[in-house]
Amino acid sequence: MRQNRKKKAFLRILSLLTVICFLITGCGKNPFTLEKTYEEYYQESQKEEDSGLEGMAANLAVLPAEEQNTSGYYSNDYADLLINDTANEVIESYRCFEKVYPASITKIMTALLTLEHGNLDDTITLEHDTVVAEDGAVISTLSKGDTVTVSQVFHTMMIKSANDCAVILAEYVAGSEEKFIDMMNERAKELGATHTHFANTNGLHSPEHFTTAYDLYLIFKEAVKHETFVDTVSMKDFTMTYVNAQGHEVKEYMESTNYYLLNNYPIPTGVVMYGGKTGTTSMAKSCLILMTENDDGERFFSVVLGAKTKEDLYHSMTDLLEKTVN
């Protein structure tokens, strides 16, 4: 009880300060400096550990902000992070508290809120076409008048990374994408991801849409508590089934965007791949977050952000994964 009271009080204070700073600055950016907010977590963890209590950071891998660079320089990436979740230890990190664009890794938060507030068995009839205003952005074949279950849209968003499906789920959960984005930002604060600001539901580029590698770890760690989420991100392919406006059944086949699941890149020996989420835009470059286990049953989270190419992304991620079995 004491732990819960301290946690809730801390989060209320943090949220209040955020609102005040937003009003003062008059903009949508998170006003906190990253070192300051992360250091609060670190100090809170240390104080409660010293007093014999299980603090709010007891189940998190933490390290002092000044020690964020614990690895060699990955020249082709912007940020990297490897965490032994079983031991709550940071194995390697590079610029894990610095601002980055998450691209479609954003969809993990959209998925989390859908699982927390929606029902996968519900049916949606699309009242309008979902417009995605970015050239080359991945979308599904869904259009106005189609009827589809939440589960089918959820799987298509996570497996194909269909950007329109993120908007469809947002409107289903909150009534509008704007209200859902408010929910995303509030949930991020609740999880301690205090240097994250979402401007959309799918991760298409916006200068006001940013996060950090460490914040993505916090969000991902919460999402994998849901069995449906883990099952979905571990699938190498999927066929979405829905009924179109003319009453005909339509099937759309898709493959995962995770090249490890497709065997395009070999998974290191001794690594069990549970899956995760990719992300790619011209500004974010190539990004990937994964959950894996080793033969000893230890669970790991690994993050690579801002890799210059897909080859660089999987080369760096493989380097991290190999460290989980050595």
Side-chain angles (χ1 to χ4, degrees), residues 82 220 267 271-275 290-294 298-302 321 324:
L82 175 63
F220 190 44
I267 300 170
V271 173
V272 177
M273 177 68 60
Y274 282 92
L290 293 175
M291 182 175 76
T292 60
E293 281 189 3
N294 62 18
E298 294 178 305
R299 188 169 78 167
F300 294 85
F301 294 119
S302 50
L321 295 179
T324 70

Side-chain angles (χ1 to χ4, degrees), residues 303-316:
V303 188
V304 176
L305 302 172
K308 295 178 181 178
T309 67
K310 281 283 193 297
E311 290 74 18
D312 291 335
L313 173 68
Y314 285 92
H315 177 76
S316 293

Side-chain angles (χ1 to χ4, degrees), residues 255-308:
E255 291 185 331
S256 172
T257 59
N258 181 345
Y259 285 179
Y260 286 121
L261 296 179
L262 299 179
N263 296 318
N264 291 347
Y265 287 87
I267 300 170
T269 301
V271 173
V272 177
M273 177 68 60
Y274 282 92
K277 187 71 192 76
T278 61
T280 307
T281 66
S282 59
M283 294 297 292
K285 297 184 171 57
S286 294
C287 308
L288 179 60
I289 186 168
L290 293 175
M291 182 175 76
T292 60
E293 281 189 3
N294 62 18
D295 288 340
D296 295 327
E298 294 178 305
R299 188 169 78 167
F300 294 85
F301 294 119
S302 50
V303 188
V304 176
L305 302 172
K308 295 178 181 178

Side-chain angles (χ1 to χ4, degrees), residues 102-164:
S104 284
I105 294 180
T106 298
K107 296 183 176 88
I108 293 175
M109 178 61 88
T110 303
L112 174 61
L113 290 176
T114 299
L115 293 172
E116 290 178 340
H117 297 278
N119 184 334
L120 295 181
D121 294 328
D122 284 352
T123 298
I124 303 170
T125 297
L126 304 185
E127 298 181 354
H128 59 84
D129 289 329
T130 302
V131 178
V132 177
E134 184 170 308
D135 291 341
V138 175
I139 60 173
S140 74
T141 57
L142 292 167
S143 61
K144 180 180 178 180
D146 294 343
T147 300
V148 62
T149 65
V150 173
S151 177
Q152 297 286 302
V153 179
F154 180 90
H155 281 74
T156 303
M157 177 184 72
M158 295 305 295
I159 296 169
K160 184 180 182 178
S161 201
N163 293 287
D164 59 324

Side-chain angles (χ1 to χ4, degrees), residues 134-247:
E134 184 170 308
D135 291 341
V138 175
I139 60 173
S140 74
T141 57
L142 292 167
S143 61
K144 180 180 178 180
D146 294 343
T147 300
V148 62
T149 65
V150 173
S151 177
Q152 297 286 302
V153 179
F154 180 90
H155 281 74
T156 303
M157 177 184 72
M158 295 305 295
I159 296 169
K160 184 180 182 178
S161 201
N163 293 287
D164 59 324
C165 288
V167 179
I168 291 169
L169 291 174
E171 293 177 346
Y172 156 74
V173 170
S176 71
E177 187 176 15
E178 291 73 19
K179 291 181 180 178
F180 189 85
I181 292 167
D182 289 340
M183 293 173 63
M184 295 171 73
N185 286 313
E186 182 61 31
R187 192 71 175 104
K189 286 189 292 183
E190 291 173 356
L191 295 173
T194 56
H195 205 65
T196 291
H197 184 264
F198 294 112
N200 58 57
T201 59
N202 46 35
L204 295 179
H205 182 69
S206 165
E208 301 301 317
H209 189 91
F210 53 84
T211 186
T212 70
Y214 187 82
D215 280 8
L216 290 177
Y217 149 69
L218 296 174
I219 296 167
F220 190 44
K221 182 179 173 73
E222 187 69 18
V224 300
K225 293 178 181 178
H226 296 266
E227 184 177 352
T228 298
F229 179 89
V230 177
D231 289 344
T232 301
V233 299
S234 68
M235 297 173 68
K236 69 176 184 179
D237 60 6
F238 179 72
T239 299
M240 176 174 64
T241 303
Y242 62 93
V243 177
N244 66 17
Q246 291 73 42

